[in-house]
């Protein structure tokens, strides 16, 4: 999964998880375990699959829960700083547009006010801190065990 920490600055992290659908066992940094394995797209002969003890939905919920718990422990000082930069930038834009709107003729006030609102939206999009997580890759692997 890719976790993106974004504001006017950006940082990304990649997190890799494995969940056994048979046992529910959970492993972090799963990609590191897969790198050295030789895999084929077919099951070996005489291998029988056990019934899943865990659904894909429950496995995903376990991954999301683990990632959320991990992210709660992070330092979010960067978000406070980004919010402060956002407020400073909005104040500068207000300092420019508000007198411009007040001194404008009636027929151009609406256009200037609309431009001001668009500019504030752009600034919020650029500076507002946000954390997003997205799946970048997934698969089902039949392994002897992930423990």
């Amino acid at each position: 999964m890719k976790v993106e920490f974004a504001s006017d600055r950006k940082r990304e992290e990649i997190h890799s998880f494995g969940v056994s659908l048979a046992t529910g066992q959970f492993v972090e940094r799963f990609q590191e375990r897969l790198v050295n394995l030789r895999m084929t797209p077919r099951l070996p002969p005489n291998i029988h699959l056990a019934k899943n003890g865990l659904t894909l939905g429950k496995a995903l919920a376990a991954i999301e829960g683990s990632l959320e718990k991990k992210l709660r422990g992070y330092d979010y000082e960067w978000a406070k700083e980004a919010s402060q930069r956002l407020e400073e930038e909005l104040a500068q834009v207000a300092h420019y547009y508000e007198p411009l709107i007040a001194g404008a003729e009636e027929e151009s006030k609406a256009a200037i006010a609309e431009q001001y609102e668009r500019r504030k939206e752009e600034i919020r999009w650029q500076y507002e801190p946000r954390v997003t997580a997205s799946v970048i890759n997934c698969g089902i692997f039949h392994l002897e065990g992930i423990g």
Side-chain angles (χ1 to χ4, degrees):
M1 293 190 76
K2 178 174 76 170
V3 178
E4 183 178 271
F5 304 89
S7 63
D8 56 324
R9 299 176 184 152
K10 187 174 175 181
R11 180 173 65 105
E12 295 178 343
E13 294 179 357
I14 303 295
H15 296 269
S16 175
F17 302 98
V19 180
S20 170
L21 296 178
T23 66
Q25 184 180 3
F26 187 85
V27 176
E28 291 190 39
R29 297 172 29 191
F30 185 61
Q31 178 63 30
E32 292 175 17
R33 293 177 179 221
L34 292 178
V35 169
N36 296 321
L37 296 178
R38 186 172 162 266
M39 292 191 244
T40 65
R42 296 177 187 213
L43 287 174
N46 299 321
I47 296 293
H48 304 285
L49 300 177
K51 185 178 181 202
N52 290 346
L54 204 63
T55 65
L56 290 175
K58 287 184 180 181
L60 179 59
I63 290 169
E64 289 172 344
S66 176
L67 184 58
E68 191 175 314
K69 182 179 178 183
K70 181 181 280 208
L71 293 176
R72 273 195 213 114
Y74 279 27
D75 177 16
Y76 288 95
E77 187 62 32
W78 66 272
K80 293 176 187 172
E81 293 168 1
S83 293
Q84 185 175 352
R85 289 190 302 274
L86 169 63
E87 294 305 317
E88 290 169 2
E89 193 69 22
L90 287 173
Q92 281 186 338
V93 169
H95 183 73
Y96 174 78
Y97 276 100
E98 288 173 2
L100 191 63
I101 292 170
E105 296 178 13
E106 279 307 311
E107 59 269 1
S108 61
K109 273 189 182 185
I112 296 170
E114 184 180 325
Q115 184 180 20
Y116 177 37
E117 289 303 315
R118 276 197 317 269
R119 183 69 182 120
K120 287 193 301 187
E121 299 260 337
E122 290 170 357
I123 290 169
R124 281 191 187 96
W125 178 86
Q126 182 180 358
Y127 286 88
E128 207 163 52
R130 57 199 175 276
V131 178
T132 57
S134 56
V135 175
I136 54 174
N137 197 357
C138 62
I140 296 179
F141 305 95
H142 298 282
L143 305 174
E144 286 185 33
I146 62 172

